Amino acid sequence: MAGFIPPEQLEQIRAASDIVDVIGAAIPLKRAGANFVALCPFHREKSPSFNVNPHRQIFHCFGCHKGGDVFSFVREYENLSFVDAVKRLAERANIPLEFENRPGQRETRAQKDTLLQMHEQIARRWQTALANDPAGQIARDYLAKRGVAPEAVELFRLGFAPDAWDDTVNWSKSKGYDLALAEQAGLIIRKEGTDRFYDRFRGRLMFPICDEQGRIVAFSGRVLSGDEKTAKYVNSPETPIFTKGKVFYGLDKSKRAILDAGFAVLCEGQLDLIACFMAGVKNIVAPQGTAFTGDHARILKRYADEVVLCFDSDNAGQDAAARVLDSLLGAGLAIRVVTVPAPHDPDSFIKERGGEAFQQLITKAEGFFDFYLNRLCATNDANSDRGRVAIVHDMAEALHKTRSAVLLDTYAQKTAHRLAVDPEAVRAEFKKRGRAKPALERQEAPDEPESTPAEPPPSEREFWLLRFLLLHEEQMDWVAQHLDLGWLEHATLKRILAARLAAHASQNWRGVPGLIDDLEDAAAGALITQAAAEEHTKGDLGRNIVEAVRLLRNDHFERQLATLKLRLAKPGLSEADTVQILREQADLRRARQQPFG
């Protein structure tokens, strides 16, 4: 648990975040008695083994054994750190975190909340205008012409900004919003040198831009008239809730599909993304505008290890594919490139040939450096000295950024083959270029921890004790006085019970979810939720706790006696050692016979 988030605030956020509501918003839940079940989002299965317990506010999958509380679910499902998961749920519950209560933080948070509210309300207004206003017919006709289905319009919340200079200005006044704040939101613009304002978005098809939580933070408006002097797209400026280089269009809807697929498809525009998404390619995102940043790459790295670039087939699109190399390599992402046959973009290709054909293009996407070599050979004259030198130079520049000797050698051979020259000559040129210019400093991945064998499950007797102490408060005083944790074999279970007894001793028992937070251990969390979620297990929770602890003690004595017996059987044992072992055996047998309780 992060030290700067007090336990009492975690409890406040947990209390405001019902686990059934949170998980139910992510996956469909079905009631099963007092609990809810679903197909597990963390592994593939045909019958539901994912269990949500509303009474204890925990989840557990009996298939893959993931489990935890509401914080654990958001952390695992959204691929976030613990602190970011807490922040996400705090924002959902509109609870300011304590470290946000510094001077000025509350005001900043209140301003952001107002900006979010403003964006949500104007988005609804523009949705209504698209659906019902006579003036919105131009936008409806455009969408029909582009083949955008009504389901896509509703899912992506498309709208229409009326073709007026003061529609949003007047709307802001009617809602009681300060015009200076509406200007800061990027919805209106102040006329230079005056106190008068006019609308930024006028007569445009509106695409709401959402953050990863699905909250509208900006807009992109596409022109619908044929005025060539008007920019095709007008986008929101950067605001306190929107940073262009840190937001993807569509990520709020595609992040789960990206995690499931293991790679993200990166396209250029909103209509391309909508067409792909509705055709079944849901693991897709688009950056805002033409700039792709290192922050964009790092965001994608949270969800996948590979990116498939899917830009337009024209020169601008192909050049854009080449420009993103540095950022993607810097984040440690593998790269492939889809080549959409000219003159198509993804949207037009899907309209003509269908989603299945487009999916095949993605499946067959070539590695980035194969694409790049083809691109260089197409844009340079490979039959001229100047062209060959340019191709080798640019390939070397790009390949040295990978810091991979294998890729350097592979593409030295491929480049030599394409240019019909000696591979050794290309290797020499690649080596020379590497000395001439330092390679891109990449973020080094941390060393992988050595894999350790999975811990075997605890014995039935130890597991029963865990269940009893998690679900019952009675007799805890007696257990604390009589249970020796050294009697337990299972290391993770021993850690859990140590934390449970410590919470009892300090009178700080916060239930099963609180114990999961305190331990911050995935293995412990899975064992806790398994024990707390199982309604029917071998063994009766009503049996005598005294007898159960006595049997655990005796099991411990038996293991010690067995160890002594093995020592006694060793050849060459001295008489003194033999006497000592026999004495220890006698002491253990007497202790085992002692009354307990």
Side-chain angles (χ1 to χ4, degrees):
M1 176 172 56
F4 54 83
I5 305 179
E8 56 271 17
Q9 188 157 59
L10 286 177
E11 290 306 310
Q12 180 189 12
I13 296 166
R14 192 200 316 279
S17 306
D18 181 77
I19 196 166
V20 174
D21 292 341
V22 172
I23 296 180
I27 61 174
L29 294 176
K30 183 178 180 181
R31 182 173 284 280
N35 296 339
F36 292 83
V37 296
L39 293 174
C40 180
F42 304 119
H43 80 286
R44 297 186 183 278
E45 60 179 5
K46 295 182 179 179
S47 57
S49 58
F50 185 83
N51 182 285
V52 181
N53 187 311
H55 174 63
R56 299 187 182 108
Q57 288 292 296
I58 59 172
F59 73 91
H60 184 82
C61 176
F62 292 98
C64 68
H65 303 294
K66 279 190 182 291
D69 61 356
V70 69
F71 299 123
S72 307
F73 179 83
V74 172
R75 187 178 70 240
E76 292 282 347
Y77 190 81
E78 302 282 0
N79 200 27
L80 301 172
S81 68
F82 176 77
V83 173
D84 286 339
V86 173
K87 287 180 180 178
R88 182 71 50 91
L89 288 169
E91 289 177 353
R92 178 182 181 275
N94 201 28
I95 297 173
L97 292 171
E98 187 165 297
F99 59 84
E100 295 177 333
N101 289 337
R102 297 188 296 270
Q105 289 291 314
R106 288 188 178 185
E107 291 77 7
T108 300
R109 175 64 183 268
Q111 181 194 61
K112 289 183 177 180
D113 287 344
T114 303
L115 291 174
L116 289 168
Q117 180 185 58
M118 190 183 298
H119 278 73
E120 174 61 30
Q121 290 177 346
I122 195 68
R124 292 177 185 175
R125 174 177 175 81
W126 287 337
Q127 281 181 277
T128 301
L130 175 63
N132 303 318
D133 284 8
Q137 188 63 47
I138 185 175
R140 294 192 288 273
D141 289 344
Y142 175 80
L143 290 170
K145 179 181 176 183
R146 293 296 299 261
V148 181
E151 297 82 14
V153 172
E154 181 178 355
L155 177 63
F156 288 90
R157 303 189 63 184
L158 305 188
F160 173 71
D163 193 6
W165 289 89
D166 58 359
D167 186 80
T168 303
V169 171
N170 292 332
W171 172 84
S172 300
K173 291 177 181 177
S174 72
K175 292 292 184 182
Y177 290 125
D178 181 70
L179 291 184
L181 187 63
E183 179 189 18
Q184 190 174 15
L187 299 176
I188 62 176
I189 300 172
R190 184 189 299 267
K191 189 174 182 180
E192 189 174 354
T194 73
D195 289 331
R196 297 172 60 189
F197 296 88
Y198 60 94
D199 294 2
R200 180 182 298 274
F201 302 103
R202 305 180 304 278
R204 290 177 179 267
L205 176 65
M206 299 304 297
F207 297 86
I209 311 300
C210 298
D211 63 12
E212 290 179 58
Q213 295 173 249
R215 303 175 303 182
I216 298 173
V217 295
F219 294 96
S220 181
R222 193 195 193 284
V223 69
L224 296 168
S225 66
D227 187 355
E228 294 183 359
K229 296 181 180 179
T230 303
K232 183 183 285 189
Y233 282 93
V234 169
N235 301 314
S236 293
E238 296 204 347
T239 70
I241 59 172
F242 174 61
T243 303
K244 181 171 66 172
K246 295 183 179 180
V247 176
F248 280 107
Y249 182 69
L251 182 57
D252 59 307
K253 297 174 180 62
S254 64
K255 56 191 177 185
R256 189 67 229 172
I258 293 172
L259 283 167
D260 291 341
F263 68 94
V265 178
L266 188 68
C267 69
E268 285 188 272
Q270 289 98 351
L271 286 171
D272 281 343
L273 182 141
I274 291 171
C276 294
F277 194 93
M278 300 307 291
V281 181
K282 298 184 184 297
N283 54 322
I284 187 164
V285 292
Q288 294 306 304
T290 56
F292 184 90
T293 68
D295 285 324
H296 279 133
R298 285 186 286 273
I299 290 168
L300 288 182
K301 181 63 176 175
R302 294 210 318 259
Y303 295 96
D305 292 320
E306 184 180 49
V307 172
V308 176
L309 305 179
C310 185
F311 293 164
D312 291 352
S313 56
D314 58 17
N315 283 334
Q318 298 297 287
D319 289 343
R323 283 196 302 270
V324 303
L325 174 66
D326 288 7
S327 296
L328 294 174
L329 287 179
L333 287 156
I335 313 165
R336 290 187 291 140
V337 182
V338 168
T339 302
V340 181
H344 290 295
D345 56 25
D347 181 28
S348 64
F349 182 87
I350 289 170
K351 297 294 188 299
E352 182 176 303
R353 304 193 191 180
E356 187 174 341
F358 184 72
Q359 184 66 66
Q360 290 176 1
L361 286 182
I362 293 174
T363 302
K364 296 176 182 177
E366 61 186 346
F368 177 85
F369 291 103
D370 288 313
F371 154 81
Y372 194 53
L373 179 57
N374 290 333
R375 176 75 179 154
L376 291 175
C377 290
T379 54
N380 294 278
D381 182 4
N383 294 316
S384 70
D385 293 342
R386 182 177 179 180
R388 286 193 293 269
V389 169
I391 291 168
V392 172
H393 173 273
D394 289 351
M395 280 299 292
E397 290 283 312
L399 283 161
H400 276 291
K401 293 172 183 177
T402 70
R403 300 170 65 102
S404 170
V406 172
L407 287 178
L408 278 166
D409 188 68
T410 299
Y411 285 94
Q413 295 182 58
K414 288 189 175 185
T415 304
H417 178 73
R418 288 292 295 272
L419 300 180
V421 298
D422 185 355
E424 288 305 318
V426 177
R427 288 191 183 96
E429 286 296 316
F430 278 13
K431 189 175 181 179
K432 186 193 306 180
R433 297 296 174 184
R435 288 197 302 267
K437 188 172 181 179
L440 174 72
E441 289 297 327
R442 290 184 53 191
Q443 295 178 351
E444 295 295 337
D447 292 337
E448 291 291 328
E450 292 185 12
S451 58
T452 55
E455 190 177 20
S459 68
E460 179 185 332
R461 196 165 284 161
E462 291 188 5
F463 189 69
W464 178 90
L465 179 66
L466 174 64
R467 291 205 69 220
F468 187 93
L469 298 185
L470 289 178
L471 306 181
H472 294 268
E473 186 64 27
E474 63 268 23
Q475 294 183 280
M476 276 299 301
D477 287 335
W478 184 91
V479 173
Q481 291 175 12
H482 293 85
L483 176 65
D484 184 338
L485 292 176
W487 298 341
L488 305 175
E489 280 193 291
H490 197 272
T492 300
L493 188 143
K494 189 185 299 187
R495 248 186 355 266
I496 295 169
L497 291 188
R500 172 68 178 100
L501 292 170
H504 176 75
S506 62
Q507 297 184 342
N508 190 35
W509 172 240
R510 296 181 291 123
V512 169
L515 183 61
I516 292 170
D517 290 345
D518 290 340
L519 286 165
E520 290 191 70
D521 180 327
L527 191 56
I528 290 169
T529 53
Q530 180 185 354
E534 286 188 358
E535 297 298 335
H536 303 287
T537 59
K538 293 179 181 179
D540 177 12
L541 280 184
R543 72 185 178 189
N544 192 306
I545 186 68
V546 177
E547 176 66 9
V549 174
R550 186 186 70 82
L551 291 173
L552 284 169
R553 180 200 67 170
N554 289 351
D555 289 345
H556 173 68
F557 287 159
E558 290 297 336
R559 289 193 297 271
Q560 287 187 307
L561 286 168
T563 301
L564 291 173
K565 185 176 180 180
L566 289 174
R567 286 175 56 193
L568 197 60
K570 285 184 178 180
L573 204 63
S574 69
E575 184 177 348
D577 287 340
T578 301
V579 170
Q580 178 61 32
I581 292 171
L582 291 171
R583 184 179 294 118
E584 290 177 18
Q585 285 181 326
D587 290 342
L588 283 170
R589 290 190 181 102
R590 280 195 298 272
R592 189 179 54 184
Q593 298 301 320
Q594 292 296 317
F596 191 79

